[in-house]
Amino acid sequence: MNAPRAASDMPDTLKTPDGAATSIDSRLLWAGLFFALAVFSKFPGLDLLVSARYFDLDLGFFRAKDPIVLALYNWTPILGRALFLAMLLHALLAPWLARALASAGKPEAAQRCRGPWRHLSTVFVCAALLGPGLLIEGVLKNTVGRPRPVQTVPFGGPEPYHGPFAPGDTPGSHRSFVSSHAATGFALMALGLTCRPAARRRWLIVGLMAGSAIGAGRIMQGGHFLSDIVFAFYAVWLSCELVVWLDRKRLQRGQPPAPRQRRPHAPPLP
């Protein structure tokens, strides 16, 4: 019995109506990225308007201590690291787990464990390392130098407000752009990267909702601006798109070339 193949192993997946819907989703997300770039470039003060809704001169950021906001802030890194570790361990230990499942009389589960499930774990780990890991923690947070809302003058801090595209001088202490907490929620979209398009869309929605909820809590705490959340999503999404593209190229290299169709010869002229 052959192991079930992941959706990314099937070239005809992209020719289905679901594949067409995924293409439309991608175009909408690209349009959203360029729209966000235009809006925050033209109106950088939009961040101040949003954060000001949760700030009071006497109370500061008055929703910062709400139980749900605190729970999102405290548990997001823990759950994110736990999920990453579980996927990493599965990617590494899948052959041994598959043997154990086969010994337990579960051959189909064993084949899935070493096949599509391991493929998903590997792709998820790569996307998490590239997006929330390298791009966000390694590059953006260490180079942009944007003060957090609580560090800026409009909200009682000592630093001037910086727009999302105005680099600061002290990135070591000003790490607002972008939100790593929100990126952890958005990274759930990577759980659907090797699935069929309908399931991939569902995980995209799950990740979008989780990251938005976590990001809203960080805005209420004065830890991030709205643009920090928006571009955290795009940092994760673009990283996922790159990993999927590279994975498809790898799968295509492992497939035999399609047979060339021979053109029929024209009949000889009389």
Side-chain angles (χ1 to χ4, degrees):
M1 181 183 298
N2 294 328
R5 299 170 69 189
S8 56
D9 295 333
M10 304 178 182
D12 60 335
T13 303
L14 301 179
K15 302 176 184 178
T16 64
D18 281 344
T22 301
S23 178
I24 293 173
D25 291 345
S26 297
R27 288 197 293 267
L28 289 174
L29 289 170
W30 277 110
L33 172 59
F34 292 118
F35 179 76
L37 289 169
V39 167
F40 285 105
S41 297
K42 186 68 174 179
F43 307 106
L46 178 61
D47 280 329
L48 295 175
L49 293 177
V50 174
S51 293
R53 295 177 61 87
Y54 305 100
F55 179 79
D56 181 85
L57 288 175
D58 297 325
L59 301 175
F61 283 93
F62 51 85
R63 300 291 298 273
K65 301 298 183 182
D66 283 4
I68 295 179
V69 172
L70 285 176
L72 289 172
Y73 176 74
N74 292 326
W75 282 98
T76 293
I78 297 173
L79 295 177
R81 294 187 186 108
L83 176 61
F84 176 82
L85 181 60
M87 300 298 278
L88 177 62
L89 288 175
H90 178 258
L92 295 174
L93 303 178
W96 291 274
L97 294 174
R99 289 198 199 105
L101 289 171
S103 300
K106 300 178 179 179
E108 292 187 3
Q111 291 172 355
R112 289 180 179 272
C113 182
R114 73 167 65 93
W117 294 349
R118 190 185 193 190
H119 183 205
L120 170 60
S121 297
T122 303
V123 170
F124 177 89
V125 168
C126 292
L129 288 174
L130 179 62
L134 177 62
L135 180 58
I136 293 178
E137 290 292 340
V139 178
L140 294 176
K141 280 186 168 293
N142 290 322
T143 58
V144 176
R146 187 186 196 190
R148 301 179 185 274
V150 293
Q151 296 174 322
T152 61
V153 172
F155 302 110
E159 301 293 332
Y161 167 73
H162 283 240
F165 310 122
D169 297 328
T170 53
S173 55
H174 299 141
R175 294 165 51 86
S176 185
F177 191 84
V178 293
S179 172
S180 56
H181 272 74
T184 302
F186 292 134
L188 291 177
M189 74 175 77
L191 291 172
L193 292 181
T194 63
C195 300
R196 291 186 178 273
R200 183 177 176 182
R201 173 188 279 182
R202 285 194 291 270
W203 280 109
L204 173 64
I205 294 173
V206 169
L208 183 59
M209 294 176 62
S212 298
I214 296 167
R218 295 297 287 137
I219 292 173
M220 293 177 188
Q221 288 180 309
H224 285 287
F225 291 106
L226 174 63
S227 58
D228 298 330
I229 311 304
V230 171
F231 292 108
F233 167 77
Y234 278 107
V236 174
W237 178 70
L238 290 172
S239 300
C240 288
E241 290 293 298
L242 177 59
V243 169
V244 168
W245 180 79
L246 292 173
D247 185 56
R248 286 176 178 168
K249 291 294 184 183
R250 178 187 65 84
L251 292 172
Q252 289 172 1
R253 285 198 301 270
Q255 294 176 351
R260 297 180 60 183
Q261 294 183 352
R262 301 181 63 181
R263 299 177 60 183
H265 293 290
L269 295 175

